Amino acid sequence: MNPVLTLRDATRADLPQLAALYEAAGLDDAGSHTATTLAAAWDRLQREAPTARVLIAERDGVPLGTLTCFVLPLLLHGGAPAALVEGVAVHPDAQGSGIGRALMDAAMTIARSHGCYKLALSSNRRREAAHAFYERLGYQRHGVSFVVTPKEHLS
């Protein structure tokens, strides 16, 4: 019998498991988190982005995937908001088992419930398997993404 996958909103108590997922998925370097920095980041997220949802996917109580979905109010597109997904992480041992699809479906449900005109995400150029996954879900490559690290950028 296949264990049931459950999705829920993450809580402060989930921070160590979230950090472990980010590291296992290769989104963060091992040891890049401390309890203090995680707690501070969680508090800032809760305070500054109240519509953000950090989702966690579990089987038998074991966290296997996560993402954060932001709903961003906008002035353009008739005032319709946009949804942005960040931090999609599925443990390598659980990839291909439907966890990423379930998380992205949940993000789409959030976007629809807020009347978002789009759901967007970005992915590192090197993550080709992730790109193929998003394309299988119906996402299309769109536009060009630019990034700069603010602390290194001098005007």
Side-chain angles (χ1 to χ4, degrees):
M1 188 167 148
N2 223 0
V4 174
L5 179 69
T6 59
L7 272 74
R8 63 176 177 81
D9 288 299
T11 68
R12 185 183 199 72
D14 294 310
L15 292 176
Q17 291 84 4
L18 293 172
L21 282 169
Y22 298 142
E23 291 175 11
L27 299 182
D28 274 335
D29 293 331
S32 63
H33 298 283
T34 68
T36 302
T37 60
L38 280 169
W42 178 264
D43 291 345
R44 187 173 52 253
L45 180 67
Q46 298 301 304
R47 184 178 60 251
E48 295 178 13
T51 61
R53 302 269 305 273
V54 181
L55 303 179
I56 192 163
E58 301 175 321
R59 280 207 172 107
D60 288 334
V62 177
L64 296 173
T66 185
L67 64 69
T68 301
C69 183
F70 295 89
V71 176
L72 308 169
L74 298 174
L75 295 175
L76 69 158
H77 296 288
L84 175 67
V85 169
E86 281 287 330
V88 180
V90 175
H91 195 282
D93 294 342
Q95 290 178 359
S97 66
I99 292 169
R101 177 179 293 275
L103 285 163
M104 293 303 294
D105 286 349
M108 181 61 75
T109 298
I110 291 167
R112 285 183 179 137
S113 73
H114 286 274
C116 294
Y117 85 96
K118 74 176 179 181
L119 172 60
L121 61 95
S122 63
S123 180
N124 188 292
R125 179 179 295 143
R126 295 183 306 260
R127 299 189 72 220
E128 292 181 19
H131 305 163
F133 164 72
Y134 296 127
E135 288 173 340
R136 283 192 305 276
L137 294 181
Y139 288 76
Q140 299 172 349
R141 293 177 191 238
H142 175 76
V144 177
S145 181
F146 296 92
V147 65
V148 66
T149 303
K151 65 182 179 181
E152 296 172 4
H153 182 72
L154 301 174
S155 298

